[in-house]
Amino acid sequence: AIAFLGIMVGTLSLGLMISILVWGISHLVGSHSSLFTIIEALSAAVAAAAVFAAGFIAYRELKASSRSRHLEGADKVFNEFNAEEKIADRGIVYRAFLGDNPKTFDALTEDDLDAIKSVLNSLDRVAFLVYADEDWIPEEIVMPWMHPIIHKCWRSLEDYVKYEQVRRGEPFFYEHAERLGKACGKWREAKGIKDTIKLVD
């Protein structure tokens, strides 16, 4: 409201100054144009400026509201990733696939499979929020914040997802998680972030 009022007052003041200036110049050159006629002509411009100002303010408020909504969504997803059970599940997955002796897929235990499902579901949820038509959370907000987790999870599970896609005959098995993982890799590459992962207890 204050910004809108400022724009309107400034526009009106500028319009009046221009009107007086034009009226003065017209009299100097011998014209007999009425000051009120000139002001009336400029009133249309002032009205247009008011519409522009209102549109500008509305756009700015909508943009701020949209960014706030995006950050809130990203915060919820980040908090989910950092819930204790999710951290524990990622630890199981990392130890299964990133250690010195990674497990073969047929040697995975029920606990391993449950953890894998949990991690993939989390990735899938983030991917849905990022790539849905509604654009709930833009990629440029997610990647700088969450790329270390996303990258490590996907590097751990990429081969497993591809294996299951073939084994099940389902090429769409966790396709959204796959899309997010690959996008994360490209983002890190573009930023010059080295593709190194180390398992730390």
Side-chain angles (χ1 to χ4, degrees):
I2 296 176
F4 175 76
L5 182 61
I7 293 175
M8 283 302 302
V9 170
T11 303
L12 181 59
S13 300
L14 181 61
L16 287 173
M17 291 174 61
I18 293 174
S19 298
I20 295 172
L21 180 61
V22 171
W23 176 73
I25 293 174
S26 68
H27 275 263
L28 287 175
V29 297
S31 175
H32 299 288
S33 300
S34 169
L35 176 61
F36 293 104
T37 301
I38 296 174
I39 293 176
E40 184 179 357
L42 285 173
S43 65
V46 173
V51 173
F52 170 78
F56 173 77
I57 297 299
Y59 168 77
R60 192 176 66 176
E61 291 181 351
L62 180 62
K63 186 175 181 180
S65 175
S66 178
R67 183 168 181 81
S68 177
R69 177 172 57 85
H70 291 156
L71 289 174
E72 181 181 353
D75 187 57
K76 288 181 179 179
V77 171
F78 185 81
N79 288 336
E80 177 186 334
F81 261 100
N82 283 279
E84 289 186 11
E85 63 273 16
K86 297 296 183 179
I87 294 175
D89 289 336
R90 289 201 301 275
I92 293 173
V93 169
Y94 298 157
R95 287 190 294 274
F97 296 118
L98 295 181
D100 294 332
N101 298 301
K103 289 187 177 182
T104 59
F105 299 142
D106 57 0
L108 295 171
T109 66
E110 287 298 321
D111 288 341
D112 293 332
L113 294 173
D114 288 342
I116 289 171
K117 182 177 180 180
S118 173
V119 172
L120 284 175
N121 284 344
S122 293
L123 290 178
D124 226 31
R125 184 183 179 194
V126 176
F128 173 75
L129 293 174
V130 171
Y131 300 116
D133 292 337
E134 290 80 2
D135 189 28
W136 282 312
I137 309 177
E139 189 177 282
E140 59 266 23
I141 289 180
V142 169
M143 291 305 178
W145 197 355
M146 300 178 61
H147 73 90
I149 297 175
I150 294 172
H151 179 64
K152 196 170 183 178
C153 288
W154 181 243
R155 279 290 305 276
S156 301
L157 294 172
E158 180 177 7
D159 290 342
Y160 174 81
V161 169
K162 292 179 178 178
Y163 165 78
E164 286 294 330
Q165 287 174 344
V166 173
R167 187 180 74 85
R168 296 166 181 256
E170 297 180 9
F172 303 117
F173 179 78
Y174 284 111
E175 64 168 330
H176 297 299
E178 180 178 15
R179 180 179 178 182
L180 180 67
K182 290 181 177 179
C184 181
K186 291 180 180 179
W187 184 90
R188 287 167 59 93
E189 183 179 355
K191 298 294 183 181
I193 301 174
K194 293 183 179 181
D195 187 19
T196 56
I197 293 180
K198 184 176 181 181
L199 181 61
V200 178
D201 292 331

